[in-house]
Amino acid sequence: MEELNLLEGFNDAQRAAIEYCDGPSLVVAGAGSGKTRVLTYKVAYLMSHLGLAPWSILALTFTNKAASEMKERIARQSGAECARYIWMGTFHSIFLRILRTEHEAIGFPSNFTIYDEGDSRSLMKSIIKDLDLDDKLYKPSSILGRISNAKNQLVDSKEYRANASNYQTDLRERVPETGTLFAAYENQCRLSNAMDFDDILLYTYRLLANNEDIRNKYAERFKFVLVDEYQDTNFAQHQIVWQLTKDSRRVCVVGDDAQSIYSFRGANIDNILTFNQLYPEAKLFRLERNYRSTKMIVDAANSLISKNSRQIKKTIYSENEEGDKLQLIESYSDKEEGEAVVRRLRQLKKDDKCEYRDFAILYRTNAQSRIFEEVLRKNNMPYKIYGGLSFYQRKEIKDVIAYFRLAVNPDDGEALKRVINYPARGIGATTLAKINAAANAGNASIWQVVEHPADYGMQLSSATAKKLIAFSEMIERFSTAAAEKNAYEAGTLIINESGILKEIYKSSDPEDVNRQENLSELISGIKEFVDQRLEEDTQGISVSDYLSEVSLISDLDSDDGETDDKVTLMTVHSAKGLEFNNVFVVGLEENLFPNQRVGESMRELEEERRLFYVAITRARKRCILSYAKSRFRFGKMEFENASRFISDIGPQYINVARQEKRSQFGSDEPDLPWKRRSMWGGADNYRQSTSSYSDNRSETSWRSRYDNREERREPRPTPTAPVSRLTGKRLTPVSRVTSTPTNTPLPLSTGLSIGARIRHERFGLGVVENIEGSGDSTKATVSFEGAGRKQLLLKFARFSVVED
């Protein structure tokens, strides 16, 4: 293979990174810089230039897909035979191969089993039960998370129990027996000849660290080690790479510290930031040319990420076209945001004559997909949820909907089987199987048997009979509520009394917090459904009416269509590694993005900023940012400022997106966040918190500004609601929702007239076009800037008149 041909088409920085093979190297590859191509060709270069045998090269990746793509490229360059013998794969697949070969050194048979997450949860659940511990405090997933964190730090159960600080932490978290559970879990895995995924890393490290002959064997075999996405490695992976390369020093790691966003999975950004401390002689190569995005997008992203202090300095640039500035869509409400984003998407598609697949809508949390799903459906625009379920297909949502279905139709057998023992109420699988058999024998519905088990020949213990009676009485109460109350009032009652609310809120694990956010979004959706129909004087606000609307959405979800030409909806975390011509980054509000759990942690804040950087750099041609001044949460409208991250972007790179008819509602002067005192007091006064900030700016921390933001933000309602113990935000707990109307009728003496400008809590700014009726039946037809024409029943309308 000719070297000239092999390296043809690379820029100078890429070529230098490929050619250097004499010692350790760190290749910092900016977004869109051709990282995978460089890594692939470096493997080919090692074989052609250094003459290394394929089996003497170890290449570690994070996904099987990445490994497969690299092997295919290498096969095209060097031949299929060479590609076949390279040790290339994920950390877990490569290390599992080593462990099976060296199993005797770690005391396992060669055919040991690998437990997946389900196996681990089932085992932990049994151990908790055997130890007679409260499974409401000792949740299997939570305990396994603690054990996983320990193993990723190369700590086993013996070391964990010997550390007094671990016990003190567990005691504060009300799980003091975690060490005991860790030991029992470890022992049961041993007895079962099984490992979980974390064990693969832990035992590989111990195999190499405790057996010098085996370490030497593999250190000598692997003449060169390459690691992809090094910013995503955890401590265990980092240490295993060190064990294999500390003698030869022939290691090349590739990654981008600016895209380190997976700390919740154990990734440690320090691994890439301190690489040169472990390998002082390491050479640093910066791949700074972005081949993906326009100059404007790259420069905007640079201005954002420069605000992080802990980073490897680099200047990403693009030689593509200049491109459009980032656009900022400011909406009054989350509902208006959904309408505005989809309207802009439709216009871009028309102007560019492009496909739906050219668009992605990125959000911080899965729960945010609901509004965009509904607006896209209303506009007959195809979409797909990437890396997650459609909102109405998520388990916690389907559980609630199943209760709603039972309330309307108790004979719905599938809904009953889903929730008869969720949350757990002692009606187990054995009892349900007997009920089902009796129903089949008696040609009756499951519900009929539950209501009258004796009539169908069922012999039950008194305890089981009482549980069935309690369940049937609960469903009957739900049926009464569904018949007498509107969907929001009945729905909140069902969510409370079914026990789902308590079940979902009993833990603050990240997985459970996500479920809480989804439940909050569902409640808000039901509230919007009722409010909109009341305001527009539309018939049908019952649970049955709501189910009719939701069932239509669910049916469409199951139809994947015959084309992949769809708008992509996904979280920013899921978007890493992908790219689209047009990207919308939505929900850019404080306590949402950055996430409300950031608190006082500068480390966490910088990761949130990196996450925003990843979002922006997914775009090739256009990046549109969006935020709402108000958002429904738990059925209550809450107000927030625009995200502080918007002000991190240089004002020269961003424009406000003007909506149609904007001149009706005020000045045409773009209302950029940094031009309003409600943001941070202006771009020139934006305070930076780290040493990497511009020298001509104040050193006052952003936290001081953030603490004083109330005096600068727009007026907001006087807080009367309680504060969430999880989020610290005001909210209306479902447990306190009653049938008392929350809308105060608008006095007709307000002087509302045709041509008046109003601000609606959900629809934003609008102009009154017509008024008809009298008294409680008075209606107004209003043309809203973001939501179109609406007819509002003034008795229930929530708006204020905008004075000239």
Side-chain angles (χ1 to χ4, degrees), residues 509-795:
D509 289 346
E511 180 180 343
D512 289 317
V513 170
N514 192 48
R515 295 167 65 205
Q516 294 158 17
E517 292 171 343
N518 290 337
L519 181 60
S520 169
E521 190 68 15
L522 177 68
I523 295 167
S524 295
I526 300 171
K527 185 69 160 55
E528 288 184 33
F529 168 82
V530 172
D531 287 349
Q532 184 168 347
R533 294 202 169 199
L534 282 173
E535 291 183 38
E536 299 178 9
D537 198 23
T538 304
Q539 297 298 313
I541 59 173
S542 69
V543 172
S544 180
D545 298 317
Y546 177 74
L547 285 175
S548 296
E549 187 162 292
V550 172
S551 65
L552 177 63
I553 292 175
S554 298
D555 288 341
L556 288 172
D557 281 341
S558 63
D559 181 11
D560 198 37
E562 299 178 356
T563 176
D564 288 325
D565 185 24
K566 300 176 181 180
V567 178
T568 299
L569 275 66
M570 67 177 83
T571 64
V572 184
H573 281 104
S574 298
K576 186 169 179 289
L578 303 178
E579 55 187 69
F580 303 88
N581 282 345
N582 306 284
V583 170
F584 291 84
V585 187
V586 301
L588 286 169
E589 299 133 38
E590 285 297 309
N591 294 314
L592 186 56
F593 202 167
N595 191 272
Q596 59 199 4
R597 291 188 295 276
V598 166
E600 298 289 336
S601 171
M602 187 59 65
R603 188 181 182 96
E604 292 183 13
L605 177 67
E606 292 203 345
E607 177 156 336
E608 287 286 301
R609 189 178 283 113
R610 293 195 295 270
L611 188 62
F612 187 28
Y613 174 84
V614 167
I616 292 174
T617 55
R618 298 311 92 198
R620 297 190 191 103
K621 294 177 61 178
R622 292 188 184 88
C623 183
I624 298 95
L625 312 178
S626 174
Y627 77 97
K629 294 181 179 180
S630 58
R631 186 172 296 274
F632 259 104
R633 292 180 181 176
F634 288 94
K636 177 180 174 60
M637 185 67 76
E638 295 191 351
F639 295 82
E640 273 298 351
N641 281 334
S643 170
R644 72 193 76 177
F645 293 156
I646 297 176
S647 287
D648 285 345
I649 300 172
Q652 67 271 34
Y653 305 122
I654 188 168
N655 271 338
V656 71
R658 302 181 188 179
Q659 300 183 28
E660 288 184 20
K661 303 181 181 179
R662 183 159 186 111
S663 60
Q664 297 182 50
F665 309 114
S667 169
D668 284 333
E669 175 70 15
D671 188 25
L672 294 170
W674 48 78
K675 291 194 174 186
R676 288 185 279 110
R677 291 189 60 78
S678 61
M679 185 60 183
W680 300 116
D684 292 337
N685 293 325
Y686 182 77
R687 272 61 166 188
Q688 302 180 3
S689 59
T690 68
S691 59
S692 68
Y693 289 19
S694 302
D695 292 336
N696 63 348
R697 299 194 179 196
S698 170
E699 296 179 359
T700 306
S701 71
W702 62 263
R703 178 58 58 185
S704 298
R705 284 191 329 281
Y706 188 62
D707 290 339
N708 295 326
R709 69 194 186 282
E710 286 295 338
E711 65 188 55
R712 292 191 290 271
R713 67 169 45 174
E714 297 180 359
R716 60 189 295 173
T718 301
T720 56
V723 176
S724 167
R725 63 181 177 83
L726 292 175
T727 67
K729 296 173 64 65
R730 291 185 298 279
L731 49 81
T732 301
V734 181
S735 58
R736 298 192 178 185
V737 176
T738 68
S739 59
T740 304
T742 58
N743 299 316
T744 303
L746 179 76
L748 300 184
S749 59
T750 56
L752 189 65
S753 60
I754 294 174
R757 293 185 297 137
I758 68 171
R759 184 184 292 277
H760 187 274
E761 187 175 280
R762 199 151 45 86
F763 301 134
L765 292 166
V767 174
V768 178
E769 294 184 342
N770 188 40
I771 299 176
E772 59 185 78
S774 60
D776 289 350
S777 299
T778 304
K779 302 175 185 176
T781 301
V782 184
S783 178
F784 288 101
E785 175 184 351
R789 183 176 284 102
K790 301 286 184 181
Q791 189 174 62
L792 308 181
L793 190 64
L794 296 189
K795 176 181 178 180

Side-chain angles (χ1 to χ4, degrees), residues 57-74:
I57 299 172
L58 172 62
L60 299 168
T61 67
F62 271 86
T63 65
N64 290 313
K65 179 182 178 183
S68 297
E69 288 179 354
M70 287 179 61
K71 277 192 175 182
E72 289 175 5
R73 294 189 186 190
I74 292 169

